[in-house]
Amino acid sequence: CLNSVSGYAVSSKIEPFYKGGKVQISQDEQYIFCTCGPRVNILQIDTGKIIHSIEQDDQEDITSFSLSPDDEILVTASRALLLKQWDWKQEKCTRSWRAIHNVPVASMTFDCTSTLLATGGCDGTIKLWDVVKQYCTHNLKGSSGVVHLVEFHPDISRLQLFSSSVDCGIRIWDLRTSKCICVLESHYSAVTSLAFSPDGQTLISSGRDKICSVWDLKKKAVKRTVPVYEAVEGVVVLPGKSDYSQMGVKGEGLHFVTAGSKGVLRVWDSSSARCVFTQTLPDAPALNTEEADLDPRSLMHLLPMPQSNRLATVTAEHNILIYQMPALTVQQQFVGYNDDILDVKFLGKDDTHIVVATNSSQLKVFELATNSCQILYGHTDTILSIDVFRKGSMFASCAKDKSLRLWKMDLKSGHVHCVAQGSGHSNAVGSVACSRLKKGFLVSGSQDCTIKMWDLPDPLPDVGCEPVLMTARLTERAHDKDVNSVTISPNDKLLASGSQDRTAKLWSLADMSLLGIFRGHSRGVWCVQFSPVDQVLATASADGSIKIWSIQEFSCLRTFEGHDASVLKVIFVSRGTQLVSSGSDGLVKLWTIKTNECVKTFDAHQDKVWALHGSSKDDLMVTGSADSTITLWKECEMKQSKLCFVLHVIHAIINEDGIQELEKTLLKLRQDQKESVLRFSVVWNTNSRSCLDAQAVLQVLLTHLSPEEILQYQGTRTHLEGLIPYTERHMQRIGRLLQASMFLDYMWQKINMAESMDLVLSVVDGKFLFKLIV
């Protein structure tokens, strides 16, 4: 053990917080509430951070929720047919009761006084609840099928509730008599949204039948039908006081905004039924009208933010966009669900951003300070790899669409645009590498087994101009199977490639001539990486190992083993003295090259860790996984002299005197010393070399100390929870070894039982030979 070694601690995470369903914005417009399975996540708009997460104890999915207009009460409904009332700021359930509905609640809303709550069920009934006096006030029957929409009239003196179900009608309920006084019929498919005019005399309804209906609530009749030519999911009435001339609004007539399947915000004049303004999603190519209903950019919700004169939309791929009116410019964008993270790189002069490739054709650029995101369109199939130029303002991407693209960031605004694109590979492009010294060239590796060198255009086009085309200067058939990884040396003179054919190769970038082959892995090579200081190359393989190679003699200098599955990425850190690796086992490991030792194992992901990158200052690290989580790590110094000394003492006692002597020694310790040993054991347990000593200590402490005594120790719960995943991994490894040993024992017995065979050892030409003689 070293006195001080580099380690990493989790600095922040970008996790999935929305996977579809209802979204609501608080009245003060500071928070976004959204469902994610059994949780309601609460996102702070200014910081982009999840500040609260309200979770069902029974882990049942939340089917609907509603926040009261005074922002004090949150009520959730789950598949368990329970309604729960929450003090969401304390994440505390204050009350729960049976919903009375026979099936789950599909919709829910509060009245403007925050006292009445309406719930619409899948059984066709509507219940009203007094949340202050805590009883059911109304049971409204008559709807057909699922009641998916309930809304109170904004004028509470009217005591009216509006609802819609699968029969496509809009029912108006008089709460004084508990009767339906009218059914507004105009739509031929599901009604998706209702919006009231400021004076409460006009209602606008939207539907998936591609129309909006403008209703006169006095006459309870349609004033005008507006054909919008898309399935509309949300409608918002523009307030009459502000100046919306930039949005085509002229005069004082009623205007409204629609959002729907084409991914388009449009402003309509209710009196003339004309569209007066259209705003598309930022930097997005035009949608094909015929395929628009299937496009992931379709808008699923439209929410007003009247205090700040903004609008919020939610897309089908779970992105939340906030527009500033009247220009309808995108102010913020949050990604609710990332899918599998395939690659991630730091971006910007001081690593202020990260660019992420997920299991989609769009790139996502996150600002780390706010988690606000810019989505980049261009590729037409899944993006597989990203690499960044040295100064961090330009990067390249490659994808399954057989192309690669060059992108440039405006360092002042943070806006990213595509400046060049190239194609020429005959199969998916799996890896791309940028030159290190100058922004001069790119190298790509493909599943067509070739590598290509591309010169960058000079000069690069300005913002708003079309991307220029790049052509490959050199092409070389490099491997017998897919090229998984390419990387360029720090001096721009060498190129390394790793392939599914189990080899890595070294090339001269001057003429793309082959300099040598690295052989030794038993399965495909997933990643190759040059050391920033030494003449060595690191390779990571599906055989679970990492190897360090001399690039002069092409010999293997060191092998690191510790992952239980494929090693997917490897990088050099600590000025080339250490390695960080990530694997299919969901683990990230820190290795010291000189001692060949795994210093620390980090367990922050639940699935394959495909993405791994270090910052330019070598003090930050970012990982991305198939569990849809991006983790930002900060370097920290772990003082381990005391930790290592105690481990050596424990190891010596076990080896020389046995477990009984260890038991006597540990039980003589003071409580604070036992607490320290327990804490040390959690750290030892993360390493396969010291896990047996850790387990011996744990056996003694857990056997002889009562649960009450252990729980008095500071942080005991956290320590014990940290033991579980690593102990399970150790048990799995022991199980595999036990199976292998039983197989060897079985084979040995079969050999001994073979009466007709003799095993003869002979010497031929100085070499040992085994002969089977029948």
Side-chain angles (χ1 to χ4, degrees), residues 123 214 249 378 382 431 438 465 469 617 638 661 688 725 774:
D123 55 4
V214 183
V249 175
T382 303
S431 182
K438 297 179 180 179
C465 297
L469 294 177
K617 294 181 180 178
M638 299 184 299
E661 189 61 33
S688 58
V774 182

Side-chain angles (χ1 to χ4, degrees), residues 146-210:
V146 177
V147 181
H148 60 267
L149 185 61
V150 286
E151 199 75 49
F152 285 95
H153 192 283
D155 183 357
I156 191 60
S157 64
R158 291 196 180 198
L159 281 176
Q160 287 182 345
L161 179 74
F162 292 71
S163 70
S164 184
S165 60
V166 294
D167 61 7
C168 308
I170 302 169
R171 283 178 164 76
I172 305 177
W173 303 86
D174 185 343
L175 301 184
R176 293 182 178 88
T177 62
S178 297
K179 291 182 179 180
C180 177
I181 58 175
C182 180
V183 179
L184 306 178
E185 295 181 328
S186 170
H187 293 278
Y188 295 96
S189 66
V191 177
T192 54
S193 181
L194 300 176
F196 296 90
S197 62
D199 61 8
Q201 301 299 323
T202 304
L203 171 71
I204 298 174
S205 61
S206 64
R208 297 192 181 115
D209 51 6
K210 304 184 180 182

